[in-house]
Amino acid sequence: MSIPFIDLKTQYSRVAGNVEQGLRAVLESGAFINGPDVVRLEKRLAEYCGTRYAVGCASGTDALMMALMALGVGPGDAVFCPPFTFMATAEVVALLGATPVFVDIDSKTYNIDPAQLETAIRAVEADDAKLYPLPKHAGKLTPKAVIPVDLFGLLADYPELLSVAAKHGLYVIEDAAQAFGATMELGGTTRRACSFGQIACTSFFPAKPLGCYGDGGMCFTDDEKLLELLQSVRVHGQGTDKYQNVRLGITGRLDTMQAAILMAKMDIFEDEVLLRQGVAARYAELLAAIPGLTLPSAPAGHLSVYAQYSIQAESTAHRTQLLEKLAKAGVPTSIYYPVPLHLQPAYANLAYAVGAMPVSEAVAGRIFSIPMHPYLTAEVQAEIAKGLAG
Ligand SMILES: *Cc1c(COP(=O)(O)O)cnc(C)c1O
């Protein structure tokens, strides 16, 4: 039997009854858009994450887009984000005519480095690329927002990031597409992903920690005014009347069927987060003895949901060797992410040079991911470790 990278089949066998019942209810009700399950899900997930409000939407990308639109981000604005992330994080910034300003990552957590964020903000404020590498831009940019990404399921350094952002008057938009369910201890309380910043965003793409069976996403906020803006932007800038459009918006709604699926999956989600901890702990034990591997590490007080189990090899050549060994052993692998965003052709207009983001570039050359999901057995993990050691 081949080893899956992510095992959605075993998960389905646990939730099938409730998923099918939920879908049948939607089919019989005919409320395919904005049905009662969407509102129920929003309430349930807001409560789970510890925020006042949630707004279901069509994807993680739309969630980020709606957040930027609700905060009024547009041309002339600088939005700071890490280059070591999925395309969407910076794409929405550029689509709205704002300018992504990349800030390099911390070499241990792979998340945006708060100290470099501060330097980059100062560089934009002074319009001086000698202070920090800046994108090519016309006219002076206004620092407007930062989008920290909780990469691979580990929360970014919010205590530091929120303090830098507050000092410079920036909005914070949490990109928690990979981190739904992750936690950190903060001031004596446990804080969950999607509870940081003015607006937090997540994705329910099937392979994410909480995935549906299609596309889906959600925004979270504590601010009632932002809630109204997000709800309006989600449906073509709708006003209080359905046929009154008070601003530009998008077709950003979450399907009722996907909401019903997510309601069923939430019943087992906390158990799955625990199972992921066990799988990660077993990997740590099995792989500790293999020389030259840098395993994922969570800072004290953090709980990662391991959207990916990502390992660093010693060099690009070493990674190539390891990937070949794993392929021979029938173990599927992936590289998240082989090219940091500042060097992607889509952002060529920003004219970033090779070497501008050294940590992201080094990590992109050495990182790879092995199978990770709640249903990985000790036997299969041993087989994967054997393949890696091979
Ligand atoms: C997956 C992902 C997104 C986009 O989510 P979609 O639902 O695929 O649109 C955004 N940011 C990060 C970091 C992601 O991993």
Side-chain angles (χ1 to χ4, degrees), residues 34 38 41-42 45 54-67 199-205 212 214-220 230-231 233-235 250-256 258-259 262:
N34 280 339
V38 173
L41 182 75
E42 288 171 342
L45 297 195
V55 180
C57 61
S59 68
T61 306
D62 277 359
L64 290 166
M65 179 82 127
M66 284 163 47
I199 301 175
C201 302
T202 200
S203 162
F204 303 127
F205 182 76
C212 57
D215 278 307
M218 199 166 277
C219 293
F220 297 81
L230 288 167
Q231 287 172 333
V233 161
R234 173 171 66 175
V235 192
I250 60 173
T251 319
R253 298 164 303 227
L254 175 67
D255 285 1
T256 313
Q258 299 303 342
L262 289 163

Side-chain angles (χ1 to χ4, degrees), residues 58-64 85-89 149-151 175-178 202-205 208 214-217 337:
S59 68
T61 306
D62 277 359
L64 290 166
T85 178
F86 181 64
M87 176 67 177
T89 310
V149 178
D150 305 327
L151 203 74
D175 181 348
Q178 301 183 7
T202 200
S203 162
F204 303 127
F205 182 76
K208 308 280 177 174
D215 278 307
Y337 295 90

Side-chain angles (χ1 to χ4, degrees), residues 19-33 35-37 256-258 260:
V19 165
E20 285 160 23
Q21 196 184 332
L23 288 178
R24 204 171 310 122
V26 177
L27 287 169
E28 282 165 8
S29 79
F32 300 114
I33 300 290
D37 279 321
T256 313
M257 291 223 216
Q258 299 303 342

Side-chain angles (χ1 to χ4, degrees), residues 144-166:
K144 184 81 174 217
V146 53
I147 310 181
V149 178
D150 305 327
L151 203 74
F152 302 147
L154 179 71
L155 288 170
D157 186 355
Y158 288 101
E160 287 297 319
L161 291 167
L162 291 167
S163 123
V164 171

